[in-house]
Amino acid sequence: MGKQKAQSGRSARGMRRVDLSSIELASSETARNINRDIVLEMIRSHQPVSRAELARLSGLQRSTISLIIEQLIEENWVREGAIARRPRGRRPTLLGLNEDLVVIAADVHPAQSSVAVVDLNGRLLSRSLVPLGADPAAAADLLSDCILRLREKFAGKSLEGVGISLPGRVDPANERLIFAPNLHWPDFDIKKAIEGRTGLPVALENAANACLVAELWFGRMEGVRNAVLITISEGVGTGIFANGHLVTGQHGMAGEFGHAVLDPQGPVCGCGMKGCWETFASCRAALHYYADLSHSSRTLTFQQLLSLAEGGDKHAIEALRLQAEAIGRGMRLILVGLSPEVIIIAGDVTTAWHRFGPIIEEHISRLTLAGPQPRLMPTHEGEVARLRGAAALVLQRRSIHDTGSGQLRGEPARRPRKRKKAQARQPTRKPVMELA
Ligand SMILES: [Zn+2]
């Protein structure tokens, strides 16, 4: 077995690419899966593409490529399509992702859940809203009903599983929701309930971690080894990618910066403490600011608050400014604790980025202790990020399961990254071992 040492290069932005040197210690099975991931990613970014082109792009032998493609076709990830037109010689069959392979993604919030059908390219094929109450068993039933309806509606597609992003922490050991102060659900095995009703495999994860996985799977994280994704909605959650690994901590509880106390005299938080970051920085906090400023008892949604601000309502504008300042103040926790290269913000605030971006950026610039300040990025399309995240859980899990680790933790560093302009450049990662 020949060995090809992994390379660490520098991207155009001067950041270090994924360091795969430790992979030399990995089992050949892991290496085979990494190579398969790389090939899958190349198909995604170059489709339609021939086997010969994949061999050239990856540096793997033709025979290895053929074996990997055989496996990907058998597993339904990849399809053979058109025959390439060539002036002379052999006319290769072109490969592309199987667009008929879909997953159902659910993004759960305290009062409702979005449920979508998402394909392998991250496209949303349908989207529905399911109102949810305080009873998790009833919620599992309502979600199952919706999933079954969607399965019927998309009967022509191959349904891979269900990914659910939750406003709380999921214990990786048993995939049970163990901490969700804004959801107020008693302990309940939602995974088992939905799997039982639908017969489909279900993957659960914290919303911020799910969004982070989506950034790794579909997104813009090429070369990034240290990133923090912050979801701002009813609460504030973070997903941590440190030194190339998703960090979950004991029982999956890592990343609860939203419950770090900024002011012990502050408002009471869902966790029982006072003055947690999220009591100042969440969308719920913004609604409180607005109620105080406008002396109004009108019940608004955050979307309505955003609309009021766009319409020039000065109290709404001020409420959002206070929220943005509070988000910015909390950046200190992230910066001193984790020193990320990239900070990604997800949630409805990203749809009003002109209000939030500059203020958060200013705080980051002021609060960075030393070295270059992290890049600040909003996720695309607000809420869609969380649905893509839920979908990525299923896509990710399937691939990672095959490596024998049994779960996605710790593995995303080895996920293929989508390249913006991959055509003209070398692949991000070199295949680690020749398997011929
Ligand atoms: Zn709290």
Side-chain angles (χ1 to χ4, degrees):
M1 190 183 287
K3 210 176 256 184
Q4 200 168 353
K5 187 165 164 68
Q7 294 192 344
S8 63
R10 282 184 183 273
S11 73
R13 288 191 295 268
M15 284 183 307
R16 199 149 174 257
R17 288 189 185 155
V18 177
D19 175 11
L20 287 171
S21 52
S22 63
I23 301 296
E24 283 193 88
L25 298 171
S27 71
S28 62
E29 190 187 345
T30 304
R32 192 178 304 129
N33 282 299
I34 291 168
N35 286 347
R36 195 189 64 165
D37 286 351
I38 293 170
V39 172
L40 186 62
E41 180 50 23
M42 282 175 178
I43 295 170
R44 190 205 306 280
S45 51
H46 292 78
Q47 59 186 334
V49 61
S50 69
R51 288 172 176 78
E53 212 175 335
L54 289 170
R56 187 176 57 75
L57 288 165
S58 66
L60 288 168
Q61 291 180 9
R62 263 303 290 272
S63 55
T64 308
I65 288 288
S66 292
L67 279 174
I68 293 171
I69 297 301
E70 207 175 295
Q71 188 188 353
L72 288 170
I73 290 173
E74 196 178 306
E75 290 175 347
N76 230 1
W77 285 93
V78 165
R79 272 190 177 169
E80 294 190 299
I83 310 288
R85 285 188 195 160
R86 297 278 187 276
R88 64 181 75 86
R90 286 182 61 188
R91 303 201 310 170
T93 310
L94 298 178
L95 302 156
L97 293 183
N98 176 8
E99 292 196 340
D100 284 340
L101 197 147
V102 297
V103 302
I104 292 181
D107 174 34
V108 172
H109 289 263
Q112 65 180 30
S113 172
S114 292
V115 183
V117 175
V118 184
D119 73 12
L120 266 189
N121 289 309
R123 278 193 298 257
L124 270 59
L125 307 183
S126 84
R127 194 165 161 193
S128 346
L129 278 182
V130 179
L132 300 177
D135 173 17
D141 269 343
L142 289 166
L143 286 170
S144 298
D145 290 342
C146 181
I147 290 163
L148 291 170
R149 274 199 306 277
L150 288 170
R151 180 160 72 177
E152 213 170 290
K153 188 173 167 195
F154 290 87
K157 305 274 184 190
S158 170
L159 181 54
E160 202 49 32
V162 179
I164 302 180
S165 85
L166 291 158
R169 295 287 160 181
V170 175
D171 189 335
N174 54 17
E175 286 198 76
R176 283 176 85 115
L177 186 66
I178 62 163
F179 176 74
N182 294 317
L183 207 50
H184 305 296
W185 282 1
D187 185 34
F188 177 76
D189 194 342
I190 185 170
K191 173 182 161 78
K192 195 171 155 196
I194 296 178
E195 285 183 342
R197 276 281 315 277
T198 64
L200 291 164
V202 172
L204 302 180
E205 188 49 277
N206 166 265
N209 284 347
C211 288
L212 195 50
V213 172
E215 286 292 331
L216 294 165
W217 182 271
F218 299 117
R220 309 157 286 169
M221 299 270 280
E222 185 206 330
V224 174
R225 299 263 295 160
N226 293 284
V228 175
L229 187 143
I230 307 171
T231 50
I232 312 274
S233 58
E234 293 83 8
V236 174
T238 66
I240 304 166
F241 189 61
N243 292 345
H245 291 268
L246 192 64
V247 175
T248 54
Q250 183 174 223
H251 297 299
M253 285 296 295
E256 284 299 326
F257 287 99
H259 294 288
V261 173
L262 296 191
D263 175 5
Q265 312 304 323
V268 175
C269 180
C271 74
M273 301 287 281
K274 277 186 177 176
C276 295
W277 183 23
E278 76 171 39
T279 64
F280 300 107
S282 64
C283 297
R284 204 174 271 177
L287 294 171
H288 286 306
Y289 296 141
Y290 181 75
D292 288 347
L293 289 163
S294 64
H295 304 290
S296 153
S297 55
R298 198 175 137 206
T299 309
L300 288 179
T301 64
F302 188 69
Q303 286 295 347
Q304 287 168 327
L305 183 65
L306 291 175
S307 302
L308 282 175
E310 286 316 295
D313 182 312
K314 67 177 197 298
H315 297 314
I317 292 169
E318 177 62 6
L320 295 176
R321 191 190 67 76
L322 290 171
Q323 183 192 10
E325 291 285 349
I327 295 170
R329 279 200 303 282
M331 289 298 147
R332 179 72 168 185
L333 300 170
I334 308 294
L335 293 167
V336 299
L338 297 163
S339 186
E341 302 156 49
V342 177
I343 295 175
I344 308 162
I345 307 279
D348 287 336
V349 298
T350 60
T351 60
W353 196 241
H354 61 291
R355 297 189 188 283
F356 288 88
I359 294 175
I360 301 171
E361 185 90 53
E362 190 273 322
H363 279 269
I364 289 175
S365 157
R366 201 156 39 76
L367 298 174
T368 299
L369 284 170
Q373 70 182 70
R375 272 189 299 141
L376 176 70
M377 303 196 297
T379 52
H380 293 306
E381 301 163 297
E383 196 202 12
V384 174
R386 288 168 69 127
L387 284 166
R388 285 223 177 90
L393 294 176
V394 178
L395 304 175
Q396 173 87 4
R397 187 187 57 163
R398 172 167 170 156
S399 169
I400 295 307
H401 266 186
D402 294 343
T403 67
S405 76
Q407 43 189 275
L408 57 85
R409 274 96 193 158
E411 290 294 326
R414 294 170 194 165
R415 291 297 321 151
R417 272 143 242 283
K418 186 158 186 168
R419 300 176 60 77
K420 280 180 203 136
K421 285 181 186 126
Q423 289 73 11
R425 291 186 279 165
Q426 287 299 304
T428 311
R429 304 183 308 170
K430 293 284 186 190
V432 290
M433 279 179 200
E434 206 26 289
L435 299 166

